[in-house]
Amino acid sequence: MDNDSEDTSRPPVRAPLSRALATAVVDLSAAGVESPRVDAELLAAHVLGVSRGRLLLVDSLRPEELSRFTALVAERARRIPLQHLLGTAAFRHLELQVGDGVFVPRPETELLAGWGIEHTAPGATVVDLCSGTGAIALAVADEAAPGRVVAVERSAAALSFLRRNAAAFPVVEVVEGDVTDPGLLPGLTVDVLLCNPPYVPSQTPVPPEVARDPAEAVFGGRDGLTVIRPVIALAARLVKPGGVVGIEHDDVHGEAVPELLRADGRFTEVTAHDDLTGRPRYATARRA
């Protein structure tokens, strides 16, 4: 038998997963990725089609798996968002489809969603403004028992993801609209209004991953409040007496957003909330 025949009969050489992960962690760390080990493991799990927790049961990669994993790590090292590479973003108990053109939901927004879930009584009407992927709206639909959830988004690209994500939740109604339009959602009254608007002041430096999000979903004008101001006025019109509103904001707005809610004059119980790092993150109020 000649050498060529012998070569083709041999099984492909598998690469140790531990070595591939170690190399990936070094590369991602050098690129400034904040969680290199977690990201490397999630990319490996994605390539292998298993959960991250089951990586312990895998000891090696086939050549094609190693090639794909190496390519994904290189993309992540270029600071392509991890969620774009995976095609999904985890949010509370959900896996949401994400990609170019839609804001990737962040873990800190889970706090606002959790507050909204706690305040959603069975049969309640909930509106999620600046819905993006639908993260907040779908979390409420998934974990509470609302009668109706209205998810509002104006971006055509984001609407595409929102509609796909919302397809599994009949209670969620997707509405194309601009939250700065004072006539938005005419005739609707709601029990709970939630909003994660664009709120980063326009001159603020952001990480490379955030810079890949649509600018209109990140930046809220020079002071970061360009969208929040009309959202508060809209909330005062839409929320029924006794209903509640929750608005996420930048960590520099810990005093400004609660003060805007108080200054409107139609809200009581205005409360500032911090995130898990102790930074100001969202404000809530009750409609008088």
Side-chain angles (χ1 to χ4, degrees):
M1 185 178 290
D2 60 28
N3 290 336
D4 289 342
S5 298
E6 289 177 359
D7 290 341
T8 57
S9 66
R10 292 171 182 165
V13 177
R14 298 177 68 101
L17 176 59
S18 59
R19 185 184 302 166
L21 286 172
T23 301
V25 170
V26 170
D27 292 344
L28 295 179
S29 296
V33 173
E34 289 187 1
S35 53
R37 183 75 192 185
V38 172
D39 287 24
E41 290 180 355
L42 286 171
L43 289 172
H46 176 66
V47 167
L48 291 165
V50 301
S51 68
R52 182 185 169 203
R54 294 187 66 82
L55 285 179
L56 293 172
L57 304 177
V58 181
D59 59 5
S60 62
L61 298 168
R62 294 191 295 268
E64 62 272 20
E65 293 168 339
L66 177 62
S67 177
R68 188 176 173 210
F69 175 65
T70 302
L72 287 173
V73 169
E75 290 286 279
R76 185 69 187 101
R78 290 177 48 227
R79 305 301 291 273
I80 303 298
L82 174 69
Q83 296 86 349
H84 285 194
L85 299 175
L86 301 178
T88 61
F91 189 84
R92 292 183 68 89
H93 305 299
L94 302 172
E95 285 287 334
L96 302 169
Q97 294 185 46
V98 299
D100 288 331
V102 68
F103 182 83
V104 175
R106 271 40 177 201
E108 54 266 30
T109 303
E110 294 186 7
L111 299 175
L112 174 61
W115 182 90
I117 290 163
E118 291 172 2
H119 287 79
T120 298
T125 298
V126 181
V127 64
D128 172 29
L129 302 178
C130 305
S131 193
T133 59
I136 293 176
L138 303 184
V140 172
D142 182 51
E143 298 180 53
R148 181 185 186 192
V149 179
V150 180
V152 179
E153 176 55 54
R154 78 172 188 177
S155 162
L159 279 164
S160 175
F161 287 98
L162 173 55
R163 291 190 173 107
R164 274 180 274 165
N165 287 325
F169 295 89
V171 73
V172 177
E173 174 187 346
V174 175
V175 173
E176 181 177 1
D178 187 338
V179 300
T180 67
D181 175 6
L184 181 68
L185 303 175
L188 181 67
T189 57
V190 305
D191 302 288
V192 180
L193 183 144
L194 303 168
C195 183
N196 178 21
Y199 56 63
V200 177
S202 57
Q203 300 305 309
T204 304
V206 296
E209 291 84 353
V210 177
R212 297 234 176 210
D213 283 326
E216 67 172 355
V218 175
F219 298 103
R222 187 166 185 172
D223 63 358
L225 299 170
T226 299
V227 178
I228 289 178
R229 290 188 184 94
V231 162
I232 289 174
L234 183 61
R237 176 172 67 79
L238 293 178
V239 178
K240 63 180 61 173
V244 294
V245 55
I247 302 172
E248 186 170 322
H249 56 70
D250 194 75
D251 55 17
V252 303
H253 297 143
E255 295 181 3
V257 173
E259 182 52 38
L260 286 172
L261 285 162
R262 293 188 191 97
D264 178 272
R266 291 173 283 185
F267 296 100
T268 62
E269 302 179 28
V270 176
T271 306
H273 301 261
D274 293 342
D275 61 22
L276 297 178
T277 67
R279 296 177 180 177
R281 185 52 58 201
Y282 66 100
T284 62
R286 187 173 299 278
R287 180 69 164 86

